[in-house]
Amino acid sequence: MADLTFGETLGQLSNGSYNPWVESIFGYLKIIPIAYICRSWPGVTGLLNALIPAGIKEQRKTHMRFSKERVDKRMARKTDRPDIWTFVTRHSDAEGTGLAPTELLSNGTLFMLAGTETTASELSGLTYLLLRNPAQLERLIKEVRSAFSSFDDMTMTKLSQLEFLNACLEEGLRLYPPLAVGLPRTTPKGGAKVCGHWVAGGTTVQAPIYAASRSSSNWKDPEKFAPERFLPEGKQEYASDRKDSLNPFSFGPRNCLGKK
Ligand code: HEM
């Protein structure tokens, strides 16, 4: 993500250790549910803030500091190799009509948060599920190894054509959604119809992703790792599955920008 966003790799795969910036993301993430609660009951903000362990608060600060350093460094560097920041800076002109420095920082932080732990969680979750299901793992290994003769052959386009691999990714996202909570949205002043129900204006609504993905109202054998539910061979057995309830990247105009 650091490479994609700021054009500079953190080298974590080559040195096998966590960069402190990435490490601090865990602390940052732990504050998010507390912020959710505070938004719903502003009266308890002071109490909850006092209860947050000092170590976690420190990690949040560290994360912001590293993000600021990266943003400043990238802003100072001219490059011909496009990265996400190339697009961000197009909207940060000096005349004051573009993104303010604080907005640049929050975008830098957002990209690192949104792209790192999500992808890593999905891959960890799926690896776990495959290890618990050796027959499925075997089938996946066969599919991958018979499709490619070398590592360089494994392009994004070719990988996206592997049916079983993609079914595994879908099933992994269902059982192990990296963003498990519901994402709050507020109804407009005059109220709105949500899922067939009239909801008063100013109400926060959300659809918890984990619950929807594991509910027996939506899925046959919801706890079972069954990638075949996403394949033609499982069409009959899993005909009752409500696939439209699977939205690990959220839904609507503000859904995940990294989904594809
Ligand atoms: C398995 C991987 C991922 C999952 C499950 C995931 C999930 C999500 C979800 C649920 C949201 C919606 C937040 C909302 O509605 O408020 C979101 C937003 C976002 N994601 Fe992802 N994400 C993943 C990977 C990525 C990657 C790789 C990137 C960057 C390339 C990325 C960038 C973003 C950004 C920028 C937003 C905010 C979009 C906006 O507010 O308009 N995500 N992601």
Side-chain angles (χ1 to χ4, degrees):
M1 273 315 293
D3 196 13
L4 190 64
T5 312
F6 301 114
E8 220 182 329
T9 170
L10 297 178
Q12 294 190 117
L13 291 178
S14 43
N15 62 28
S17 63
Y18 262 130
N19 175 286
W21 188 16
V22 177
E23 211 167 7
S24 66
I25 288 178
F26 293 112
Y28 193 98
L29 288 176
K30 283 181 187 155
I31 295 192
I32 293 178
I34 298 174
Y36 266 36
I37 299 171
C38 294
R39 200 180 295 170
S40 307
W41 291 287
V44 299
T45 306
L47 176 69
L48 284 174
N49 269 338
L51 292 176
I52 299 172
I56 289 188
K57 282 186 186 158
E58 205 40 54
Q59 276 191 322
R60 181 175 186 273
K61 274 194 207 149
T62 308
H63 185 70
M64 297 305 280
R65 198 181 63 243
F66 275 111
S67 303
K68 185 170 179 328
E69 276 169 22
R70 275 297 147 142
V71 170
D72 290 346
K73 210 168 150 194
R74 176 62 184 82
M75 291 300 280
R77 191 165 56 89
K78 295 259 173 294
T79 173
D80 292 336
R81 181 185 167 229
D83 51 28
I84 290 176
W85 221 249
T86 309
F87 298 96
V88 172
T89 43
R90 267 189 210 159
H91 299 278
S92 58
D93 55 84
E95 285 137 43
T97 51
L99 294 174
T102 47
E103 290 168 331
L104 289 174
L105 174 60
S106 67
N107 272 288
T109 313
L110 171 67
F111 273 107
M112 284 304 287
L113 276 181
T116 53
E117 278 316 308
T118 45
T119 314
S121 296
E122 154 69 349
L123 294 177
S124 307
L126 179 56
T127 304
Y128 167 79
L129 291 164
L130 285 165
L131 290 171
R132 300 280 303 217
N133 293 275
Q136 313 275 31
L137 176 62
E138 195 53 39
R139 183 172 168 185
L140 180 60
I141 289 173
K142 269 204 190 112
E143 184 185 57
V144 173
R145 294 194 180 154
S146 58
F148 306 105
S149 51
S150 76
F151 180 76
D152 294 332
D153 258 6
M154 298 172 76
T155 60
M156 295 260 272
T157 313
K158 285 188 194 159
L159 281 164
S160 72
Q161 288 157 0
L162 297 193
E163 271 199 340
F164 193 64
L165 171 67
N166 284 287
C168 287
L169 286 168
E170 293 267 26
E171 186 68 337
L173 285 165
R174 184 183 72 83
L175 284 169
Y176 227 101
L179 223 139
V181 291
L183 295 156
R185 299 289 188 261
T186 310
T187 53
K189 254 192 190 149
K193 208 168 185 186
V194 181
C195 299
H197 302 275
W198 182 256
V199 181
T203 310
T204 302
V205 292
Q206 53 184 297
I209 293 176
Y210 183 95
S213 298
R214 292 215 181 205
S215 167
S216 56
S217 325
N218 294 332
W219 305 92
K220 181 179 181 230
D221 303 330
E223 302 295 327
K224 188 176 165 192
F225 178 70
E228 54 278 17
R229 65 174 88 238
F230 294 99
L231 294 171
E233 71 195 60
K235 211 171 169 188
Q236 213 169 355
E237 189 176 354
Y238 293 98
S240 60
D241 279 359
R242 295 185 55 187
K243 302 218 168 54
D244 57 349
S245 70
L246 180 65
N247 288 298
F249 299 95
S250 192
F251 189 78
R254 298 310 296 265
N255 78 354
C256 178
L257 195 133
K259 180 176 174 179
K260 284 277 183 286

